[in-house]
Amino acid sequence: MNNYLIVAGIIFCIGALGVLMRKNLIIVFMSLELMFNAANLGFVAVSDRLNLISGDIFVIFVMVVAAAEAAVALGIIVAFYREKGTIDIDKANELKN
Amino acid sequence: MEALFYVFSFIAIFSALMVVTMRNPLTSALYLVLCFFALAGFYVLLDMQFLAVMQILVYAGAIMVLVVLVIMLLNISKIKSVKTDLHQKIIGIAISLVLLVEIIFYIAYGTTKKPTGIFTHSVIDKIGNTRVVGEFLFTKYMLSFEIASILLFVAIIGAYLFAKKKF
């Protein structure tokens, strides 16, 4: 189980790196998906180790939430692009001044 | 089994790194699909074939098609790409390295509980993988299942409102 958890941890950190480092809105969104998937792998590994089934059920619900989130997030990205003409995340600064 | 695990983890970590570092969003989207396939391989190794199929259908199929469609609609190659400035890069790498060290420290020195459930690999194989998941989904987790359907309905409305011309 520990090997799986370490792989999940590494993928999660790469996803966090993408969210913190990149400025392209779509790549930030894809890094978020990576983090979701790392968490899913952790759930499956732990519930395999403890001989439970709840972790696997939870992964299905995470997938449902991720699908809903993808639809809404891509809608927001399209609306943002229509408003600003770019998908640079630094241009989302109207609360600043 | 052991060799397959290392192959899958190499593919997953390599393609995850590529997703984060590639300049063109379409390239990173294709690497993300590769990463999802490697994760589906992990689920097969962990004896959860149903989840592997769901992973490929929902993530590599539905969600990534949506992402690629949006990349196509926005015509990304026409937009000039934005450079990440150096201090943001340094801060990002530092924070994620600290997070990685924390996670590995916690996994290496934490204690794990004894197995408490009854669903060992042989039990699951005897009943059938999909059947176990389905029985739990429609009995014990029925309420969550219904709430998930409401959530999907709300997401449809939300996506429609955001993609509309004016709101």
Side-chain angles (χ1 to χ4, degrees), chain B residues 2-116:
Chain B
E2 198 76 349
L4 272 180
F5 171 77
Y6 288 114
V7 170
F8 283 139
S9 51
F10 173 75
I11 295 175
I13 292 170
F14 170 76
S15 54
L17 269 177
M18 283 296 153
V19 170
V20 173
T21 51
M22 279 289 132
R23 204 117 273 277
N24 189 349
L26 190 59
T27 327
S28 10
L30 293 180
Y31 272 114
L32 192 57
V33 173
L34 184 62
C35 186
F36 287 161
F37 270 91
L39 286 168
F42 279 135
Y43 294 157
V44 173
L45 286 187
L46 286 169
D47 212 28
M48 262 292 145
Q49 291 88 358
F50 179 68
L51 281 186
V53 172
M54 290 307 284
Q55 169 89 5
I56 290 174
L57 279 182
V58 174
Y59 270 115
I63 293 180
M64 289 320 291
V65 165
L66 212 59
V67 170
V68 172
L69 191 77
V70 167
I71 291 174
M72 185 195 78
L73 277 178
L74 297 190
N75 234 344
I76 296 296
S77 55
K78 291 242 172 62
I79 306 167
K80 63 176 174 56
S81 61
V82 275
K83 291 282 261 190
T84 317
D85 40 342
L86 190 66
H87 74 270
Q88 189 183 1
K89 214 174 247 180
I90 292 172
I91 290 172
I93 290 173
I95 289 177
S96 54
L97 268 184
V98 169
L99 193 62
L100 182 64
V101 170
E102 256 174 44
I103 289 174
I104 288 180
F105 184 82
Y106 188 71
I107 292 168
Y109 291 98
T111 53
T112 40
K113 269 169 51 177
K114 290 264 174 299
T116 50

Side-chain angles (χ1 to χ4, degrees), chain B residues 120-139:
Chain B
T120 55
H121 282 185
S122 54
V123 172
I124 292 179
D125 280 342
K126 208 167 71 190
I127 308 175
N129 197 293
T130 315
R131 184 166 172 183
V132 171
V133 173
E135 273 175 6
F136 264 81
L137 208 56
F138 286 111
T139 54

